[in-house]
Amino acid sequence: MDNNKDAVLMDKIVSLAKRRGFIFQSSEIYGGINGFWDYGPYGVRMKRAIEQLWWREMVETRDNVEGLDSTIICHPQVWKASGHLDQFSDLMCDCRDCKARHRVDMMEDPKICSNCGGGNLTEPREFNLMMKTFVGPVFDDEHTAYLRAETCQPIFVDFHNVRVASRQKLPFGIAQIGKAFRNEVNPRNFIFRSREFTQMEMEFFCDEAEGMKWFEYWKEQRIRYYREKLGFGDDFMRVYEHEKLAHYARAAIDLEVRFPFGWGELEGIHHRGTWDMSRHQEFSGKEQHYIDHDGQRKIMPTVIETSVGLDRTFLALLGKAYAEEPVENEEIRTVLRFPAVIAPVQLGVLPLSKKLSGQAGELYHKLNRYFRCEFDETGSIGKRYRRQDEIGTPFCLTFDFDSLEDNAVTIRDRDSMRQDRVPVAELRDYLESRIDG
Ligand code: ATP
C-alpha cells in the first residue's frame, strides 16, 4: 500500500467534504472535539438515503424482519448483562486473534495472550468504552447510566415485546438504525472511528439447529446487497473470516472494504449463539425462552447479527467515488461517482439562461417530488456541471430555448458526459430506470 498516496487522497476527501457541505468537524469554532463529526446539507441528504436503502433492503421488503427505535439510554443492567461494564476503567489490551481481553496489570507476560498463547495483542488502552451520564438530579453511582455502545442490546431486551406485538414466530429478525457511543481511546481516520456514530443492525432470532444455515443466508444477502446496490465488487470488498472467535460466538466474518486509508471493517456478521438472550434471562430474572407450540419445545433463541456502521458506509462511498480526471478545455474535473440511489442530488436542473428560470423552475418543482433535485441558475453551464460533478450528481437537466418549442430537455450523464435529448413527458421514466437502486 502506498501510504503517502492514501494520505493525500484522505486529505482531499476531508477537504472536499467540508467545502461542499458533506461533513464538518463538530464545534469547529471552539477548536473541534476529537471523534465527533457533523453532517452538513449534502451529507445529511446522503446519510438519509443510505439509511433508507438499508431499511428498505432489511425491513420493508421482508415479512420476517420488524423495525425498532429504542432509546439511547436504557437500564444500566443491560450493559452489565452484555458484558460491557465489566471491562471498564482498567488498562486493557485485546488479543486480535481470539478476542480475549486482558487486564494488563494481571497479565503474566504483557506480550503473550494467556488464552491462546498468541502474540498478536493490541496496544494497552484505558477501557472507558461506555459513555457515562446521570439520570435524575443527583450525580452519584445510583443515578449513573450509559449511552448505548451498540444498537443491538435494546433489540435483545425488547425481543418478546416485539414478538408478541407483531405476532412473529421464530425465525424472524429485528432491525434498528441509531446512534451508538464509544469512548474510543484513539478516534481516527475521519469518520471511520469516531466516538458518536450511527449503526444499522439486524438481529435474526432462530432455533439453534438452524443457526449456521441463517448465518450463511445473511452473509450471502449482505454481500449481494453491497454488490448490487452500491457497486462494491471483489476489488473493493473482501470477506475476512475470523478463525478464532469470541468465546460465545459460533462463526463470524467481517466485510472489509478499501477505505481511503486502506482496508478496514465495514460490517460484521456474527453467529452469537444463545449468549445474548441467556445473559438477559440471567440478569433480569425474566424468562427469555421462546415457546414453540407446534413442536412443544422451549427454545432459547440463537442470534445471527448483521452490524454495519453508517458513517463507515459513507466514508467507503466517498473514497470509492472520488476521481480527478482531465476534461476538454479544462485542466481537471473532480467528480464523485456515487451510485445514483444514494447521491445527495440525483438531478441538477439548470436553465440555460436566467430568462428560462420560470419554466425550468416549474419542471424542477415537479421532478423534486420523485427525485432529490437541485436548481442552479448561476454561472456558466460548464461551471454548473463541475459543481454538480463535485457533489456526485449523476444527471443534469438543461432547459434551453428549444425546450420551449419541442418540450424536451437535455440530460447529461455525469460519468460518460453523454447528452440525451429527452421529451419532458418521458423524463420521469427515463430517470427512474437509471436511478433505481
Ligand atoms: P472495530 O474492530 O473497528 O473497533 P468493532 O468490531 O468493535 O469495530 P462492532 O462492535 O462489531 O465493531 O460494531 C459494528 C460496526 O459498527 C462496525 O463494523 C463498524 O462499521 C461500526 N463501528 C464500530 N465502532 C465504530 C466507531 N468507533 N466509529 C464508527 N463506526 C464504528
Side-chain angles (χ1 to χ4, degrees), residues 129-146:
L129 190 79
M130 298 290 292
M131 294 259 191
K132 206 173 186 176
T133 187
F134 299 95
V135 173
V138 189
F139 285 17
D140 61 10
D141 285 351
E142 207 185 309
H143 295 84
T144 299
Y146 304 90

Side-chain angles (χ1 to χ4, degrees), residues 240-273:
Y240 171 76
E241 312 241 0
H242 289 268
E243 279 162 21
K244 295 191 178 141
L245 302 170
H247 62 92
Y248 54 82
R250 304 288 159 78
I253 59 139
D254 291 342
L255 296 181
E256 297 186 336
V257 296
R258 216 188 267 277
F259 286 100
F261 58 84
W263 289 96
E265 173 183 333
L266 170 68
E267 169 157 348
I269 301 169
H270 309 125
H271 181 328
R272 299 171 62 103

Side-chain angles (χ1 to χ4, degrees), residues 287-397:
E287 178 70 67
Q288 295 298 310
H289 284 95
Y290 169 87
I291 311 293
D292 174 10
H293 290 290
D294 302 335
Q296 304 286 309
R297 284 187 314 138
K298 246 172 105 174
I299 299 169
M300 185 56 83
T302 281
V303 170
I304 310 299
E305 167 181 86
T306 73
S307 173
V308 53
L310 173 51
D311 313 82
R312 287 191 189 179
T313 311
F314 201 109
L315 181 59
L317 285 162
L318 269 176
K320 185 167 189 297
Y322 188 91
E324 288 172 12
E325 57 185 32
V327 278
E328 257 180 80
N329 302 330
E330 255 183 81
E331 283 140 40
I332 296 269
R333 76 162 176 161
T334 301
V335 55
L336 291 176
R337 298 188 198 283
F338 288 139
V341 67
I342 54 88
V345 176
Q346 295 172 313
L347 179 72
V349 178
L350 322 173
L352 190 66
S353 144
K354 279 196 181 163
K355 290 187 188 121
L356 298 165
S357 289
Q359 291 93 332
E362 267 174 44
L363 192 53
Y364 158 73
H365 285 296
K366 270 190 203 141
L367 292 168
N368 201 30
R369 294 216 294 267
Y370 310 108
F371 311 104
R372 290 186 291 280
C373 296
E374 184 174 88
F375 187 76
D376 188 2
E377 55 176 6
T378 54
S380 71
I381 271 289
K383 259 205 187 119
R384 283 182 267 168
Y385 282 154
R386 295 293 165 267
R387 247 181 243 150
Q388 296 296 333
D389 286 345
E390 225 185 22
I391 59 161
T393 306
F395 302 102
C396 281
L397 176 162

Side-chain angles (χ1 to χ4, degrees), residues 43-53 310 314 372:
V44 69
R45 277 177 174 229
M46 184 157 135
K47 199 171 176 228
R48 297 271 183 272
I50 298 169
E51 281 178 13
Q52 268 169 27
L53 187 71
L310 173 51
F314 201 109
R372 290 186 291 280

